[in-house]
Amino acid sequence: MKTRRQFVHSSMMGLAATWTLPSFLDATILGLDARAADSAIQTATGKDSPILVVLQMGGGNDGLSMVVPFADDAYYRSRSQIALARDSVLRLDDYAGLHPNLAGLKGLFDNGDAALIHGVGYPNPNRSHFRSMEIWHTASDADKNEHYGWIGRYFDSACQGQPPTAGVNIGSMPPQAFLSAKPMGISMASPNRYKLIEPGDIAVADARDGQMVPMMADGENIAGSRSGSSIESLGAANPANDGLSNLQYLERTALDAEVSSQDIQRIVSAHKSATPYPSSRLGEDLKLIAQLIAGGLPTRIYYANLGGFDTHANQKPAHDRLMKEFSEAVTAFVADLKEQGNFNRVLMMTFSEFGRRVSQNGSGGTDHGAAGPMFLFGGAAKAGLHGKHPSLTDLNNGDLKHGIDFRNVYATVLEKWLKVDSTPVLKRKFATMDLLKA
Amino acid sequence: MLAPLPASDWNETTAAHLLLRTGFGATQQEIQECAAAGLDASVDRLVDWEKTPDPTADPEWAKPDPTLAEQRRALRNLPEEERRMKFQEFQRQQREQLHELKQWWLERMRNGPRPLQEKLTLFWHGHFATSAEKVKIAYFMWRQNDIFRRLGNGPFRNLLLEVGRDPAMLVWLDGAQSRKDAPNENYGRELLELFTLGEGHYTEDDIKAAARAFTGWTVNRFNQTASFQKFNHHDGRKTFLGASGNFNDEDIIDQILGQNQCARHLSNRLWSFFAYQNPPAALADSLGDSLYRLNYDLRPFLKAMFRSREFYSARAIGTQIKSPVQWLLATAKSAEMARFPGRAAIGLLTQLGQNLLEPPSVKGWDGGRTWVSTTTLLLRQNAAKLFVYGGDPGGVMFNREDMARRLEKLQELRKTEGKEGAPMEDDPMMARMERMKNRNNKMPAMIDPRKLAPAGTPDDNAALIESLLRRFYPTGAPAAAGKAFADYLAQSPDKSLEEKTKGLAYLMMARPEYQLT
């Protein structure tokens, strides 16, 4: 198992990407490595550790058009224009079924690969996209503001000393969920662009190679001189990175970018998937994640996004299309992971910042609502339906009441899947649920 | 009041800092002139921008369109299919104009004679963050931009009042749809939370009262102005921030400005934008008190800020992460870019996270460290490379894959419109996308090394590094870098001056330090 310092140096040796070795290297990374090397924090990042894939459905997914309560007259009464015909729904039980475009997903349920959690939300739901997304990202109460994300707090408490690719967000800017006290995780929109273009002037690359030798020596000297001192005092001498200056933050990000881009370039050129994916954006993003998993990138959490769910007007064609994109992409992803033999170590979790109002509005769309369904996919998911479908008549201001707090789902994933104590991550104890196979 | 900078500390470094923060970059000559003019005169010239003539013309379409009403009426009588086509045509036109507007503004920032006017316009755009994504009408976006430009250095009260009656804002935060019997609270909420007091300094009832007071203001889509409909105004008693009365929008604003907290919130935003984020409590107090005592008159407040010793402290100089706009324009200035990406600049800025006139939410851009991710940092480095060496713009100036995907979608759309075989030139946007998608390895370099090291420059490594550092790091060279640049040149002694200049320029811009200003 490489420490971060060795990791940095060996990859620099390989491609000599960062000729600008950050000045803070001794002040932060080495300190972290030293601490991590000697502590139990350094959990496995290798081939066998569990991976979580979070899929955000941005804009407020209409849960009632995804998991359709076809046996409920209230559904048809509230949605004269946009309700899905009873016999088109793909039945999960006697009450609810999936949107007709979710055939692939239905197959996953039939196969025991998927779980659905009904009616997930939080107390005092906020109907602003921005604020509700923030609540899901930070796992805070609706009346409190948290700065750091829940995944960021997981990084802070469980991923120190690991390479930056412990968290990989597919997109150019990290989600708030990734925000941590100590910078961790990378954001990448597409591997084709996630690299330094080789300078046309070859001599620049020569110069970079030339730089490596003295830098290496410096690094080793620093490490050598410190290896005798106590690990604890090193940690104390180099307090957490939240004390980083803007320059140190930039140096750190530059280093993370260069190191991770080399790993990612190597993996995507070596691992091609045999599974066909749809040519949609989500299809490509999940395909990329599957490639990175196959290539053994030491990642604990991947984050992907499917947007466009804010369907206030003329909802049906837009939502139908999204369901198709979602189903096709996820189905291909699952097939790919099975093919790779990685399906049992990957768990995918979906969420949206809110569901939508039960009654449709006057423009063939739906307005912002509250509770909605979550999905889990993976060999470890306890397949089938969890929780009760929320009532369509016992409402809170026209919105579904939640039966399950999303933080109970987070706690379950943290404790039972990622195997960490969820209390420091969620800031208090949330009960876990029976969502995973023992 | 803030302590002024002692005259003895006024020099080319502090002058460069002033120009970089109040504008979008500075050439050597501008820095020297500013240093020679002195601090007070320089600040006056920047803040009292009315005294500098600005001949830039407004975009040709930036005025109400008197034929629009007639056009809309005519639309009503058309068959549905034709109406849909006309409407799509209208949307295409708006998108084109919006693109023009973005370039027009960027050009003002880059070459305009009043840098602070544009910098403040950018500040107010981020403060009253309104997105064309919802507003859709380019003229409305221009009009709001113009409000910021006209009123940006005046009394805040005028600006606040005008923004509340601005068509773009009325659309953006739903005031246009607010009715006296069902007031829409969107504007009232953001007015208090983001524009004036900040969270925690008002109640939900205050929001409701403000929303009632603002009813009546709506957008006349026919003559494209805001208008006040008396019959739709809540004409009755409201209780707002502890006071009661039959308040209208002016009364609400006066109540807000009466709170010291508003001055504190706004001055903090200004300081964070121009100097540094999170000022210590004592400074935040004194900034707030100062703005309050000045009765929210921004002109003297800005002057005091830009003259203050604290504005030139070590905590301020060279510590701010460049926004994408700042990064691009400062680069253009420092490197005396022979060409400017022009239209493609908008795509680049969007990829870097700052799509002008389309902020991500009503909160605007968070700025600071959120400008930089692993992806955007690589992108900045790659763009620097492209500026110096030229090359394939597809991974830098725009996202080739996204472009291909969007193009595919548009083509599908054309199929459903029955225009499958029609020439692409029908739709200028698609034609442009098609051209960009297929453009490979064709973008020439934008930086001319002969401008950075003009003919006759002695071929002396140390002197070359020194002069380029002054250019790319006007407030001070990165401490650790000197040796690296010398080593780079030492690697290949046979290089021409031109090649050395290009290599150094690229390396200087690729450094993490270059992201700071």
Side-chain angles (χ1 to χ4, degrees):
Chain A
M1 169 84 234
K2 287 178 192 172
T3 66
R4 182 181 174 109
R5 177 177 53 79
Q6 287 162 339
F7 176 82
V8 165
H9 282 170
S10 63
S11 60
M12 279 176 168
M13 281 273 277
L15 270 165
T18 187
W19 69 281
T20 57
L21 188 72
S23 61
F24 74 106
L25 196 59
D26 60 327
T28 52
I29 291 187
L30 295 183
L32 287 173
D33 285 338
R35 248 184 315 173
D38 195 50
S39 77
I41 297 174
Q42 199 174 358
T43 45
T45 50
K47 274 231 140 265
D48 304 321
S49 48
I51 292 169
L52 176 67
V53 180
V54 178
L55 175 60
Q56 170 175 311
M57 302 166 87
N61 173 34
D62 183 22
L64 291 176
S65 292
M66 188 167 191
V67 180
V68 184
F70 66 86
D72 201 326
D73 289 338
Y75 167 71
Y76 292 96
R77 277 199 307 273
S78 320
R79 299 185 156 210
S80 56
Q81 288 167 289
I82 62 165
L84 293 152
R86 198 161 277 154
D87 54 8
S88 72
V89 172
L90 312 171
R91 299 184 178 210
L92 292 171
D93 61 13
D94 292 339
Y95 181 79
L98 296 172
H99 185 287
N101 285 358
L102 295 173
L105 208 60
K106 177 65 165 54
L108 299 183
F109 275 96
D110 293 343
N111 224 3
D113 298 331
L116 159 65
I117 314 164
H118 281 305
V120 189
Y122 54 88
N124 305 315
N126 193 300
R127 287 165 186 83
S128 135
H129 291 291
F130 164 67
R131 180 61 195 138
S132 193
M133 201 50 110
E134 203 167 69
I135 291 165
W136 277 85
H137 279 219
T138 60
S140 77
D141 290 336
D143 59 355
K144 292 210 187 72
N145 280 292
E146 283 288 338
H147 182 57
Y148 296 123
W150 74 280
I151 295 172
R153 286 193 301 267
Y154 162 75
F155 292 152
D156 281 338
S157 67
C159 299
Q160 289 313 302
Q162 295 185 12
T165 45
V168 175
N169 166 52
I170 310 297
S172 56
M173 298 310 283
Q176 187 175 12
F178 267 40
L179 206 61
S180 52
K182 299 152 199 160
M184 176 57 81
I186 62 155
S187 282
M188 164 181 54
S190 121
N192 297 337
R193 294 179 298 133
Y194 194 72
K195 61 186 171 196
L196 270 187
I197 301 174
E198 274 310 303
D201 178 3
I202 194 69
V204 176
D206 291 344
R208 297 208 244 125
D209 281 332
Q211 286 287 312
M212 285 309 112
V213 180
M215 280 176 186
M216 280 286 297
D218 278 348
E220 294 303 339
N221 283 343
I222 292 163
S225 68
R226 293 211 172 162
S227 56
S229 52
S230 114
I231 299 302
E232 276 319 299
S233 70
L234 254 187
N238 301 294
N241 292 352
D242 38 350
L244 290 183
S245 69
N246 275 350
L247 176 58
Q248 287 171 325
Y249 170 79
L250 284 162
E251 288 174 327
R252 171 115 194 193
T253 308
L255 186 66
D256 286 353
E258 304 202 15
V259 168
S260 60
S261 87
Q262 288 160 33
D263 286 346
I264 284 162
Q265 294 307 322
R266 183 173 43 74
I267 289 174
V268 295
S269 60
H271 292 267
K272 301 285 179 224
S273 171
T275 312
Y277 277 82
S279 71
S280 63
R281 176 69 174 265
L282 182 64
E284 283 172 38
D285 290 352
L286 293 184
K287 181 180 177 181
L288 172 60
I289 292 176
Q291 272 179 295
L292 298 175
I293 290 172
L297 196 68
T299 303
R300 312 303 305 275
I301 300 192
Y302 290 96
Y303 201 96
N305 191 5
L306 175 63
F309 285 97
D310 197 18
T311 47
H312 285 280
N314 195 17
Q315 166 173 312
K316 210 170 167 309
H319 196 265
D320 289 355
R321 210 164 43 238
L322 287 163
M323 290 297 98
K324 182 166 179 282
E325 179 169 355
F326 176 83
S327 184
E328 289 179 350
V330 170
T331 312
F333 183 59
V334 168
D336 197 354
L337 292 175
K338 285 187 171 181
E339 176 80 29
Q340 290 177 15
N342 277 323
F343 191 55
N344 287 331
R345 59 182 286 248
V346 177
L347 183 70
M348 180 183 222
M349 175 181 87
T350 74
F351 81 97
S352 188
E353 71 268 38
F354 41 62
R356 305 190 80 83
R357 191 133 300 178
V358 173
S359 295
Q360 68 163 83
N361 62 24
S363 0
T366 50
D367 296 320
H368 302 179
M374 289 177 82
F375 289 87
L376 294 175
F377 308 103
K382 193 168 249 180
L385 279 53
H386 300 266
K388 269 188 67 172
H389 195 290
S391 164
L392 270 63
T393 47
D394 176 20
L395 302 176
N396 173 14
N397 287 327
D399 292 334
L400 299 174
K401 290 180 178 171
H402 73 276
I404 292 164
D405 191 310
F406 70 93
R407 292 165 297 186
N408 294 114
V409 181
Y410 285 4
T412 308
V413 165
L414 287 160
E415 303 245 346
K416 297 187 174 177
W417 183 245
L418 296 171
K419 311 273 193 229
V420 294
D421 181 3
S422 66
T423 313
V425 177
L426 302 177
K427 300 270 199 129
R428 64 173 191 267
K429 190 78 200 162
F430 284 93
T432 58
M433 299 169 61
D434 190 19
L435 299 171
L436 299 176
K437 289 171 189 157
Chain B
M1 206 58 188
L2 299 164
L5 183 77
S8 56
D9 287 348
W10 181 249
N11 51 41
E12 285 192 13
T13 304
T14 39
H17 175 65
L18 175 67
L19 292 180
L20 294 177
R21 295 297 181 88
T22 55
F24 298 92
T27 63
Q28 291 291 297
Q29 197 192 339
E30 286 166 343
I31 293 167
Q32 283 158 7
E33 284 168 6
C34 176
L39 173 59
D40 284 358
S42 295
V43 168
D44 285 347
R45 188 181 54 79
L46 286 160
V47 178
D48 299 330
W49 60 62
E50 297 82 356
K51 292 177 186 161
T52 309
D54 181 356
T56 320
D58 295 335
E60 178 253 319
W61 45 262
K63 50 185 182 281
D65 180 354
T67 70
L68 204 68
E70 191 44 50
Q71 282 179 37
R72 291 218 172 187
R73 257 189 295 275
L75 272 187
R76 286 194 202 141
N77 304 323
L78 292 175
E80 163 142 16
E81 181 63 11
E82 218 171 310
R83 197 165 62 218
R84 203 166 55 85
M85 301 285 257
K86 289 265 189 212
F87 182 66
Q88 281 174 357
E89 179 54 39
F90 175 73
Q91 283 181 317
R92 263 198 282 275
Q93 182 199 355
Q94 293 304 320
R95 276 199 307 266
E96 272 301 309
Q97 290 181 354
L98 185 69
H99 213 94
E100 267 176 47
L101 176 58
K102 291 176 184 185
Q103 285 181 279
W104 175 84
W105 188 15
L106 206 57
E107 182 55 27
R108 290 190 72 109
M109 295 183 204
R110 185 162 80 99
N111 285 329
R114 302 170 172 182
L116 180 58
Q117 187 177 30
E118 298 309 320
K119 196 73 178 263
L120 261 180
T121 300
L122 183 60
F123 168 79
W124 293 121
H125 172 49
H127 186 77
F128 294 109
T130 301
S131 173
E133 207 194 337
K134 179 166 171 183
V135 176
K136 293 199 164 70
I137 312 279
Y139 164 63
F140 285 174
M141 294 308 294
W142 174 82
R143 194 181 176 284
Q144 187 187 68
N145 200 253
D146 190 56
I147 292 175
F148 300 151
R149 192 167 290 110
R150 282 189 289 112
L151 305 179
N153 63 351
F156 183 52
R157 186 185 190 277
N158 296 355
L159 179 61
L160 206 49
L161 194 61
E162 192 89 350
V163 165
R165 298 171 176 181
D166 161 44
M169 184 58 84
L170 285 163
V171 174
W172 171 237
L173 292 182
D174 303 317
Q177 271 116 54
S178 191
R179 300 284 166 267
K180 101 173 139 182
D181 39 2
N184 189 305
E185 293 165 16
N186 210 354
Y187 181 70
R189 178 180 305 277
E190 305 309 356
L191 174 72
L192 297 176
E193 179 183 330
L194 299 171
F195 306 158
T196 59
L197 294 175
E199 220 176 341
H201 300 279
Y202 52 86
T203 64
E204 288 292 309
D205 287 339
D206 291 327
I207 292 173
K208 291 192 167 73
R212 283 196 294 272
F214 279 96
T215 52
W217 282 100
T218 191
V219 179
N220 184 328
R221 290 258 179 187
F222 288 102
N223 64 17
Q224 296 179 294
T225 57
S227 60
F228 183 70
Q229 300 174 318
K230 200 166 180 347
F231 69 89
N232 197 27
H233 174 65
H234 183 283
D235 189 13
R237 199 174 166 79
K238 303 139 190 115
T239 299
F240 180 71
L241 296 174
S244 294
N246 182 4
F247 296 146
N248 64 9
D249 59 345
E250 289 197 61
D251 302 323
I252 292 294
I253 283 171
D254 286 330
Q255 291 285 336
I256 292 173
L257 296 178
Q259 315 276 313
N260 195 294
Q261 171 59 28
C262 178
R264 202 186 156 84
H265 180 73
L266 182 63
S267 60
N268 198 320
R269 298 270 309 199
L270 283 161
W271 185 264
S272 298
F273 182 83
F274 284 103
Y276 54 81
Q277 294 180 315
N278 305 318
L283 177 61
D285 286 346
S286 113
L287 289 165
D289 288 346
S290 164
L291 185 61
Y292 191 74
R293 274 203 312 273
L294 290 166
N295 209 8
Y296 295 88
D297 192 357
L298 293 160
R299 190 183 304 265
F301 179 77
L302 290 167
K303 288 186 180 180
M305 203 164 81
F306 297 139
R307 281 174 185 153
S308 70
R309 182 203 293 262
E310 191 54 33
F311 185 73
Y312 299 91
S313 63
R315 189 161 175 178
I317 293 183
T319 59
Q320 187 179 58
I321 294 182
K322 286 174 183 159
S323 69
V325 165
Q326 189 79 14
W327 166 85
L328 175 65
L329 297 184
T331 300
K333 266 226 153 133
S334 307
E336 296 177 52
M337 262 193 198
R339 300 169 63 253
F340 188 70
R343 192 156 200 128
I346 305 302
L348 177 59
L349 291 174
T350 302
Q351 290 208 70
L352 289 172
Q354 195 175 23
N355 188 3
L356 289 174
L357 305 177
E358 298 185 54
S361 80
V362 64
K363 247 182 67 179
W365 291 279
D366 288 333
R369 290 185 186 184
T370 65
W371 289 128
V372 171
S373 72
T374 48
T375 288
T376 59
L377 198 55
L378 284 172
L379 202 51
R380 286 186 185 200
Q381 289 173 312
N382 285 336
K385 189 252 160 187
L386 194 66
F387 295 158
V388 173
Y389 293 102
D392 176 10
V396 179
M397 305 304 276
F398 59 91
N399 180 340
R400 197 187 299 283
E401 297 129 47
D402 259 9
M403 183 94 59
R405 222 176 350 246
R406 274 168 54 200
L407 206 55
E408 208 173 292
K409 272 197 183 149
L410 283 173
Q411 267 150 353
E412 253 169 55
L413 212 67
R414 283 163 75 89
K415 256 185 224 169
T416 60
E417 283 175 20
K419 287 167 66 181
E420 206 170 339
M424 200 77 92
E425 284 61 37
D426 261 18
D427 184 335
M429 192 179 67
M430 275 180 77
R432 195 164 54 242
M433 279 166 63
E434 184 70 34
R435 278 200 304 278
M436 280 168 79
K437 187 173 68 105
N438 296 327
R439 185 164 60 194
N440 273 316
N441 297 310
K442 275 191 194 148
M443 188 166 273
M446 300 198 179
I447 292 173
D448 180 354
R450 288 163 305 187
K451 285 198 171 174
L452 305 190
T457 304
D459 196 353
D460 172 275
N461 285 358
L464 184 63
I465 291 171
E466 171 73 28
S467 95
L468 291 175
L469 279 176
R470 257 206 313 279
R471 195 181 267 280
F472 289 108
Y473 295 89
T475 54
K483 187 175 174 309
F485 298 128
D487 288 351
Y488 159 67
L489 292 184
Q491 291 292 318
S492 31
D494 306 334
K495 261 186 208 300
S496 69
L497 179 64
E498 204 166 287
E499 285 307 309
K500 283 197 272 196
T501 307
K502 282 161 80 170
L504 282 174
Y506 165 63
L507 294 179
M508 284 182 188
M509 289 190 283
R511 287 194 69 87
E513 290 94 333
Y514 187 69
Q515 315 312 322
L516 293 173
T517 188

